């Protein structure tokens, strides 16, 4: 059976609030209607082919300081993508992942997890975003990849010209205190 159609996720608690915790999730992209569903869904294989891989790692340290790293391989080479954390898990439709996660809804600065990246000749890319705040419980559920970087993504018709091309459901951890 092809491991490329499944996602593997592991959360490791590293000893309470002094050390923090790490969530590490990885998967291989598959179309939404794949025979074996995947947590990594591609909506446009010209950008993110089936079997491309993704890894998202969240580390939240003492005090809620959070770093989220993204690594992706097998996607369109020499291309700049947008990526951000979204509120809901991936679904059959690109809009199923909902709006972008905001630390404080409506606040203007340093309020989202942005992971824009540019791929190399082999279609590999990476990004990292660090914040002094942690994610809220039930507030973040996926990483959405769009066809270009930018501040506007098509959450609603007329919102902009970037298009969601893939999504990865991630079991993000949260700050409890």
């Amino acid at each position: 059976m092809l491991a490329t159609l499944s996602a593997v996720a592991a959360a490791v608690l590293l000893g309470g609030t002094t050390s923090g915790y790490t969530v590490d999730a990885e998967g291989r992209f598959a179309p939404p209607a794949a025979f074996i569903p995947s947590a990594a869904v591609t909506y446009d294989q010209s950008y993110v082919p089936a079997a491309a891989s993704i890894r998202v790692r969240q580390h939240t340290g003492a005090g809620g300081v959070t770093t989220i790293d993204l690594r992706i391989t097998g996607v369109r080479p020499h291309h700049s993508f947008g990526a951000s954390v979204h509120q809901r898990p991936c679904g059959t439709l690109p809009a199923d992942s909902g709006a972008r996660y905001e630390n404080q809804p409506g606040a203007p600065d340093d309020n989202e997890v942005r992971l824009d990246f540019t791929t190399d000749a082999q279609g590999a890319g990476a990004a990292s975003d660090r914040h002094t705040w942690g994610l809220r419980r039930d507030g973040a559920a996926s990483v959405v990849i769009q066809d270009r970087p930018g501040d506007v993504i098509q959450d609603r018709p007329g919102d902009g010209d970037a298009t969601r091309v893939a999504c990865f459901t991630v079991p993000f951890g949260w700050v409890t205190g």
Side-chain angles (χ1 to χ4, degrees):
M1 180 171 295
L2 293 175
T4 60
L5 298 178
S6 65
V8 177
V12 179
L13 297 177
L14 299 175
T17 59
T18 57
S19 297
Y21 61 89
T22 299
V23 174
D24 198 7
E26 57 186 297
R28 297 235 177 229
F29 288 96
F35 180 70
I36 299 173
S38 177
V41 180
T42 178
Y43 303 113
D44 187 336
Q45 291 192 56
S46 69
Y47 289 99
V48 180
S53 66
I54 188 169
R55 181 176 187 178
V56 174
R57 181 180 184 269
Q58 171 197 2
H59 179 75
T60 300
V65 174
T66 299
T67 302
I68 298 185
D69 299 309
L70 175 143
R71 303 281 180 269
I72 194 164
T73 60
V75 299
R76 183 181 281 188
H78 300 294
H79 188 80
S80 293
F81 289 89
S84 54
V85 172
H86 280 245
Q87 296 175 0
R88 295 193 315 245
C90 308
T92 304
L93 301 173
D96 290 345
S97 57
R100 287 184 180 153
Y101 174 87
E102 293 181 309
N103 178 48
Q104 296 182 1
D109 296 323
D110 193 35
N111 199 34
E112 298 178 352
V113 179
R114 300 298 304 269
L115 299 161
D116 297 352
F117 61 94
T118 300
T119 56
D120 63 15
Q122 288 74 45
S128 185
D129 198 6
R130 183 175 191 271
H131 294 280
T132 57
W133 40 265
L135 302 173
R136 292 184 313 280
R137 184 177 191 165
D138 299 325
S142 62
V143 172
V144 171
I145 310 294
Q146 62 190 54
D147 64 346
R148 66 194 74 179
D151 291 331
V152 179
I153 189 168
Q154 286 182 324
D155 288 329
R156 293 170 303 278
D159 250 3
D161 59 0
T163 301
R164 296 177 189 201
V165 296
C167 182
F168 181 44
T169 299
V170 179
F172 288 111
W174 60 88
V175 175
T176 59

